[in-house]
Amino acid sequence: MTIQKKPAAEPLLAWYDRHHRDLPWRISPAMAKRGVKPDPYHIWLSEVMLQQTTVAAVKAYFAKFVGQWPTVADLAAAPSEDVMVAWAGLGYYARARNLKKCAEAVAFEHGGRFPETEEGLKSLPGIGDYTSAAVAAIAFNRNAAVMDGNVERVISRLYAIDAPLPGSKPAMKARVAAMTPDDRPGDFAQAMMDLGATICTPKRPACALCPFNDVCMALESDDPERFPVKAAKKEKPVRLGAAFIAVDTDGHLLLRRRPESGLLGGMTEVPTTAWTSRVDGETGVEAAPFAAGWQACGTVTHVFTHFELRLGVYRAQVSRGDVGAVHGFWAPVTNLDGEALPTAMKKAIAAAIPTAFSTPKG
DNA sequence: CATTCGTGGGA
DNA sequence: TTCCCAAGAAT
């Protein structure tokens, strides 16, 4: 039995300096050398967007938000509606609602500055264990143990942790805390995440290129892909429903706002039946917002995190004066990009009005 | 502690 | 095609 050498921060930081990734919210080593500090607003915004979301998907949204709202004060002053429209398509819409609340708290209760401690940050809406540590470390150079999915994978492999997630999380966080250096804690956190994203990947990790390949117990065990061990996941149920695309004689589409909480909370939708109320083979037309010449336009499928949705889509040309009072509002079909439409709704609208969006999802 | 929250891209 | 899942938080 060989003595396991202890993983240390220095080799990782050296690797990080050689493989810096140029991301819009990140300060390059050259800039850092000149004393440029990261903008806490940028770090916070990017970290919230990056929650369960890929770097590739975040880049365009980050640019849009910073362009539209250059400071946290600007975001705090923005109409919530505008924030939801800007966030549409990125998913997990509670993040957008909490983003706005957090900006307001920072602007109006903290004098426009983010708290610099984990504890202070974590008290804000939408900031939990991960984001509070990440912002404290990256934006404020605080020694905080930053653990996301990447770090979990790296740590579970370094120490060949057999206990399944999420139960093993506290033990893994203790390992991270022990490794985090007082010098450059933010760079260490980003280095761990970069390592997980580019080298210590879920499948086929590039162990030959890893700065930890001399101390990794998973590599020594010859099956690094086995880690991290996770609890088995359950299957996704299917929910059925029907969506109704009503267009008036002036080319306006009937939309309505979803409740503020829950699935797609605060986002815009077309009228639909309750999801699961429709049995396959039924039209669902009896649940239309009003009687009209509803024509079937096929079915769209959208996969959410915990269920699959199949919506039968129906279209009708209506005269607004004939349908009476409806629960909702009418928006020009030519300006749907100005609405907070989640992807599932864009799919349904596109099935009925193929020209509504430049791409299927807008 | 388990569940509820989107989406799109890559293997 | 199907599966996996990506810089998680709130309840």
Side-chain angles (χ1 to χ4, degrees):
Chain A
M1 183 81 168
T2 57
I3 305 282
Q4 187 67 34
K5 283 191 288 184
K6 193 177 175 183
E10 288 73 22
L12 178 66
L13 285 166
W15 172 86
Y16 180 70
D17 289 337
R18 282 183 276 113
H19 299 274
H20 181 268
R21 285 206 292 171
D22 200 13
L23 301 175
W25 46 86
R26 203 176 260 190
I27 299 298
S28 69
M31 298 282 282
K33 203 160 188 173
R34 274 182 264 139
V36 178
K37 304 297 183 191
D39 182 339
Y41 170 58
H42 289 183
I43 300 304
W44 162 74
L45 178 60
S46 67
E47 291 301 345
V48 172
M49 287 182 167
L50 286 162
Q51 289 166 6
Q52 296 291 287
T53 309
T54 58
V55 167
V58 163
K59 281 182 176 173
Y61 283 85
F62 178 80
K64 186 202 304 188
F65 269 70
V66 170
Q68 195 164 348
W69 301 293
T71 70
V72 68
D74 295 322
L75 186 57
S80 298
E81 172 66 15
D82 292 357
V83 177
M84 300 311 287
V85 170
W87 196 277
L90 196 56
Y92 284 144
Y93 298 98
R95 292 185 296 173
R97 290 179 256 129
N98 285 329
L99 190 81
K100 175 75 169 108
K101 289 180 194 165
C102 184
E104 291 171 354
V106 169
F108 306 137
E109 298 168 22
H110 293 270
R113 294 179 177 278
F114 282 86
E116 299 192 7
T117 65
E118 277 186 272
E119 186 182 8
L121 288 159
K122 197 175 171 180
S123 70
L124 297 169
I127 299 185
D129 286 328
Y130 163 75
T131 305
S132 59
V135 173
I138 298 169
F140 300 115
N141 207 40
R142 300 271 177 153
N143 187 321
V146 177
M147 193 169 73
D148 72 328
N150 289 304
V151 179
E152 286 174 358
R153 188 167 54 254
V154 171
I155 291 294
S156 70
R157 287 175 178 171
L158 280 178
Y159 296 96
I161 295 172
D162 287 304
L165 282 168
S168 54
K169 211 168 165 179
M172 295 205 288
K173 184 154 184 171
R175 298 288 198 180
V176 178
M179 286 180 69
T180 302
D182 288 325
D183 183 41
R184 304 180 66 190
D187 284 348
F188 174 78
Q190 294 176 90
M192 287 287 276
M193 293 189 282
D194 280 9
L195 188 73
T198 64
I199 303 291
C200 195
T201 50
K203 303 296 179 188
R204 298 175 56 104
C207 300
L209 304 177
C210 181
F212 288 135
N213 61 12
D214 59 335
V215 296
C216 179
M217 293 178 67
L219 179 57
E220 189 175 0
S221 81
D222 214 38
D223 188 14
E225 272 189 30
R226 186 165 74 83
F227 304 96
V229 180
K230 295 185 178 180
K233 60 183 80 62
K234 25 192 258 192
E235 61 179 302
K236 286 182 184 181
V238 175
R239 297 186 191 174
L240 303 173
F244 301 97
I245 314 299
V247 180
D248 74 3
T249 48
D250 293 327
H252 289 67
L253 173 65
L254 178 59
L255 298 174
R256 64 188 189 189
R257 175 161 309 281
R258 291 178 62 84
E260 283 305 305
S261 63
L263 183 70
L264 306 178
M267 299 295 283
T268 298
E269 67 175 1
V270 296
T272 73
T273 64
W275 302 349
T276 66
S277 73
R278 174 174 172 265
V279 178
D280 243 354
E282 293 179 354
T283 64
V285 158
E286 74 284 351
F290 46 77
W294 297 105
Q295 297 185 323
C297 304
T299 299
V300 296
T301 296
H302 189 75
V303 181
F304 291 94
T305 303
H306 53 294
F307 67 93
E308 175 183 322
L309 176 64
R310 294 179 196 158
L311 286 176
V313 179
Y314 299 87
R315 168 172 43 89
Q317 187 72 232
V318 302
S319 181
R320 218 191 286 188
D322 294 342
V323 302
V326 294
H327 177 65
F329 59 96
W330 299 85
V333 171
T334 52
N335 188 33
L336 294 181
D337 288 335
E339 301 296 335
L341 289 165
T343 299
M345 294 303 148
K346 289 188 173 181
K347 286 182 181 175
I349 294 168
I353 312 171
T355 57
F357 306 102
S358 50
T359 66
K361 82 176 209 56

